[in-house]
Amino acid sequence: MTALLELTAIRAAYDAITVLHGVDLSVRAGEVVALLGPNGAGKTTTLKVAAGVHPIADGELRLGGRTVNGADPRDLARAGVCLIPEGRGIFPNLTVRDNLLMMSFTGRPVAEIEDIAFARFPILAQRAGQTAGTLSGGEQQMLALARGLVTDPAVLLLDELSMGLAPLVVGRLYEQVAEIARQGVAVLIVEQFAAAVLDIADTAAVLVRGRIEHQGPPDLGLRNQLATLYLGSP
Ligand code: ATP
């Protein structure tokens, strides 16, 4: 199957400083690709390029086989690209319900929005009247994912979903991410630490100083490479 999201020889910079030096990455529908690497490697920048919110200095971004370099990020969002940023992008002073209702810009009826969110994350129904900032970290991440799902994404870009969460909570969230992928979504997930994400990833890519140094199935070989490279024990 051809890739839904394809980055080919992507170079990206902040002013004169190049931070991505020719990144090749592709994600097929139904696949989970983990993009790993140390601090400052360029992982977040890669996601921003994929979402069209950071300009491409060189190379090609394709969505469903179509070149979309320079496309308006809103058009990419309409075409199914959904970025869930680090820090989750939810509104902490609004209730869970209002955070979800804001997604009615998608044209979906309110009842449908709640159905989608609460079916995937039943705990959010119990928390509907609570302000999002008072949710646990894991619940906040569920809310962020739920808001993303309401957009009916074809490509889900997740930035450090595990940040600040207990391993058990991360494992449960990853199970949901794997299930979302099984329903045909292409998932590109950035993490600094490899451990749990390798359990759901079909492919892992290691980004170091703006270059993909390793790419392949998350087998023992890759885990060993990661262990000896940058990320501590996998
Ligand atoms: P982290 O895990 O620490 O977020 P990362 O792998 O996601 O790291 P990026 O956030 O993509 O890395 O950053 C890559 C490089 O680009 C870093 O050297 C960073 O300092 C730099 N950078 C990121 N954002 C900006 C910005 N807005 N202006 C200038 N430089 C930036």
Side-chain angles (χ1 to χ4, degrees), residues 14 19 38-45 86 160 192:
Y14 293 95
V19 298
N39 253 328
K43 304 180 299 294
T44 297
T45 306
E86 199 180 319
E160 304 234 14
Q192 193 170 333

Side-chain angles (χ1 to χ4, degrees), residues 118-140:
F118 298 159
R120 173 71 56 203
F121 302 108
I123 188 78
L124 293 180
Q126 291 173 38
R127 301 274 184 265
Q130 197 172 320
T131 51
T134 65
L135 297 173
S136 73
E139 290 163 355
Q140 290 186 25

Side-chain angles (χ1 to χ4, degrees), residues 94-149:
L94 299 183
T95 63
V96 168
R97 175 167 286 116
D98 287 346
N99 265 278
L100 292 172
L101 295 195
M102 285 178 70
M103 303 309 288
S104 51
F105 79 87
T106 56
R108 281 189 191 276
V110 169
E112 203 177 299
I113 290 172
E114 292 191 342
D115 282 352
I116 292 168
F118 298 159
R120 173 71 56 203
F121 302 108
I123 188 78
L124 293 180
Q126 291 173 38
R127 301 274 184 265
Q130 197 172 320
T131 51
T134 65
L135 297 173
S136 73
E139 290 163 355
Q140 290 186 25
Q141 194 68 66
M142 288 177 205
L143 179 58
L145 274 169
R147 281 167 48 88
L149 287 181

Side-chain angles (χ1 to χ4, degrees), residues 194 198 206 220-234:
L198 293 183
V206 184
L220 198 58
L222 187 117
R223 286 173 193 259
N224 286 340
Q225 279 173 341
L226 283 167
T228 45
L229 274 169
Y230 317 91
L231 305 171
S233 179

